[in-house]
Amino acid sequence: MFSFCPSEEKSDEIKLLGDVRLNALVLGGVSGEIEIYAYGMYKIATIVEVFGSCLGLCLSSDLKSLSVITELKTSTTPVVTYFQLDTSLLSEYLPEVTRMARKFTHISTLLQYIKLSLTCMCEAWEEILMQMDSQLTKFVQEKNTTTSVQDEFMDLLLWGKASPELQELLMNQLTVKGLKKLGQAVESSYSTIQKLVISHLQSGSEALLYHLSELKGMALWKQKYEPLGLDAKAIEDAIMSVGSFSLKANELLQVIDSGMKNFKAFFRWLYVAMLRMSEDHVPPELNKMTQNEITFVADFITAHFNEAPELYNQKGKYFNVELVGQYLKDEDDILMSPPRTEGNQWFNFLQNSAPLKESPLLFPYYAEKSLHFVKRQMEAVIDQCLAKPADIIGKSVRQKLCIPLYYASESEEPCPRLISLPSLWNDKSQNLHYVLFRMMESSVTKLFIFRQPTDVSRTVNEAFVAVEFRGSLNSSTCENPEPAHYSCLDARFYEDEVVTLVLRDNTEPEGKDRILALLPLSLVYSDEEADYHFIRDPNKRLEEQCADIPSRTVYLESQWRVLENIKAHYVSVNGIRKVASVLSSNLRHVRVFEMDVEDDGEADEEEEEEVSHSQDVTEEDLDHTTDDAQNNGLEAADVTEESLES
């Protein structure tokens, strides 16, 4: 079950993450654990104050209270129980929670962004680049000479002649066409990966550092953010882990840049050598090599064509000529061929300086670790850093009220006596919480309203009232009202003091028995608190005391509408948009109603006509104008109907 609830004043505009308004997604499951997600994305609270499987829940609009209905399995029959939880910490620190949640959401989004960037980089890397490693390994296993691969290529570079084994490898297995294709694949793949690292991976890491640094500044304001669980030391660890990831991404850039230059020079020389072997024409622009180019190719052969027996035990090959793939494949935590640091003056300076080794201003560098290892480490540290506020806020939640409602039905059918919690609202003018229940009494399902002040010091802390609909809905002056035959199927708060209802007229045939109505709470609580005589016995279930709950008889006047040709059962409303959606009992049909449709130019004229003719409307007229006259108070317009195929 879930609830999505705004936390601030209503507005005519729909505000999203770009604004300061906080939205909370509340989730409850079978374990009784409840989680609150800011903006529906990042968890800001984990609540363990309730027991049993969650059937329904709702967070008040001021974030002071959370209502939950659970089914708790006991030794006998499961009991459905209503809990009211005090979440006042969220309300008290609403500005701080909003800022913190926005940072959490940005950080969570950036982590996903970095993950997707790595996925794109892996897709850009082609496994064709590994063919040279496998072919060289096969060459070592099949050749009869004791000469190393490095010596074979050095002889070809210096003397222009290749051994029969190397010539067989180059001309029959690699081929001139294959070498050209391999060179194009290396250049294209490396270029794409390089752009992804610069444009996405590095920019994402920098944005992550920015938001974490701001979060650390918030955590240092202990008066505001320490009660919410922000830990400056944990955030500092997260910043250091992101810095390590940035260093590893920069290292990958250097490997790519070096690899592109090395492969381009090596493939150019090898391409010319293979053309000469096949006695083909060599283009003049490729036939010349300077001494620097020869030295460059010799260094490349020396660095990349050393046989490594330990690599064969791990990867089944002796070579790792292509160095970029080891950064992108999420298989090993250790690089097979880590970059060389010998001769690096800055690296040597850091190694020889004890104060700099322990300096908090320098990001840790993991020379032998892969990019994926550093990424996983960064994600773990950040998750641990951002998980503490959810734990602290969750522990601040206290149980304020617990009411056993009724025994759950042992059959598969839902229990008809008392059905789950439809909605909860906060009336800020009186600082009250309203909770709606539905309870079966004989063949009629009544609507029960539970009103509780948020200030527990007030004397009336449990105000139950039952709403009963009698006789004709449009006959408040009827002298002999008929017995109650209207059942409440569903109810939602449309506005602070108005409830939207779906009623069933048990005396009407199917197709004309469903009614959409508006119930102002002023009709229910007209006598205020003077007539509340119900005192709940905490040792009994609510169903055992429902006969003692005071009842209010309500006539809805004209604020109703018959829903024809739909077996309506559920309703969902939005008071800001002035819209109501009615869903059928089989969940296959939906109707959407505009609750306040009126032309501006004709509003005054229609209002005058209604006043002048209100005394002349007959019952026959009402029967012929179900969609219009019965709609005066509701002002509903059936604008769409769809068939929802399951």
Side-chain angles (χ1 to χ4, degrees), residues 140-397:
V140 171
Q141 293 173 336
E142 293 180 353
K143 71 184 179 71
N144 297 322
T145 62
T146 58
T147 309
S148 66
V149 174
Q150 183 183 110
D151 293 340
E152 294 274 359
F153 276 98
M154 289 297 291
D155 289 343
L156 178 61
L157 175 64
L158 296 177
W159 311 112
K161 294 182 179 180
S163 65
E165 293 84 358
L166 181 59
Q167 188 169 352
E168 172 71 17
L169 168 69
L170 297 177
M171 302 304 299
N172 295 335
Q173 296 186 29
L174 183 59
T175 73
V176 175
K177 185 177 180 181
L179 178 65
K180 189 174 182 180
K181 181 180 179 181
L182 182 61
Q184 293 173 347
V186 169
E187 185 175 1
S188 174
S189 179
Y190 278 20
S191 178
T192 303
I193 295 172
Q194 187 179 46
K195 292 178 181 178
L196 288 171
V197 173
I198 296 174
S199 302
H200 299 281
L201 208 63
Q202 283 192 328
S203 61
S205 301
E206 291 171 359
L208 202 56
L209 282 173
Y210 166 76
H211 288 293
L212 283 171
S213 299
E214 280 208 335
L215 196 64
K216 179 185 176 183
M218 293 162 58
L220 292 176
W221 194 354
K222 295 185 178 181
Q223 181 183 1
K224 292 285 187 179
Y225 292 95
E226 191 174 39
L228 299 177
L230 275 188
D231 186 357
K233 178 60 173 64
I235 299 174
E236 178 64 30
D237 293 340
I239 292 175
M240 301 301 285
S241 67
V242 176
S244 298
F245 180 78
S246 297
L247 290 178
K248 186 59 66 172
N250 187 64
E251 177 186 311
L252 175 59
L253 273 182
Q254 295 177 3
V255 172
I256 292 174
D257 185 63
S258 175
M260 291 179 68
K261 294 178 181 178
N262 292 340
F263 274 114
K264 189 174 183 179
F266 176 73
F267 285 149
R268 181 178 179 272
W269 162 76
L270 191 59
Y271 179 70
V272 173
M274 293 175 67
L275 287 178
R276 289 172 177 165
M277 290 179 193
S278 60
E279 299 181 352
D280 289 340
H281 173 69
V282 179
E285 63 273 11
L286 300 178
N287 201 21
K288 297 180 181 180
M289 286 188 68
T290 64
Q291 186 62 40
N292 289 335
E293 291 175 338
I294 295 176
T295 304
F296 193 78
V297 173
D299 292 340
F300 176 79
I301 294 174
T302 303
H304 292 81
F305 287 86
N306 283 322
E307 297 180 18
E310 67 278 0
L311 185 61
Y312 185 82
N313 297 331
Q314 299 182 39
K315 293 292 184 179
K317 61 181 183 180
Y318 290 106
F319 302 93
N320 194 25
V321 178
E322 198 282 310
L323 302 179
V324 174
Q326 62 181 343
Y327 288 87
L328 302 179
K329 300 191 71 175
D330 193 7
E331 295 180 355
D332 300 314
D333 293 338
I334 300 177
L335 297 176
M336 295 296 101
S337 300
R340 296 182 177 181
T341 57
E342 297 86 353
N344 188 310
Q345 296 181 359
W346 172 250
F347 186 82
N348 293 334
F349 175 68
L350 291 180
Q351 293 298 316
N352 297 328
S353 175
L356 286 179
K357 280 185 178 181
E358 302 175 356
S359 174
L361 302 177
L362 298 179
F363 296 134
Y365 173 61
Y366 304 96
E368 298 184 353
K369 298 297 183 181
S370 67
L371 182 66
H372 278 278
F373 171 84
V374 180
K375 178 187 76 76
R376 288 194 300 268
Q377 184 186 53
M378 175 185 69
E379 291 174 338
V381 174
I382 293 178
D383 288 344
Q384 183 179 4
C385 161
L386 303 186
K388 187 175 180 181
D391 183 57
I392 296 298
I393 295 175
K395 290 180 179 178
S396 71
V397 176

Side-chain angles (χ1 to χ4, degrees), residues 116 137 330 346 430 447 461:
L116 293 176
T137 298
D330 193 7
W346 172 250
Q430 301 181 34
L447 174 66
N461 57 6

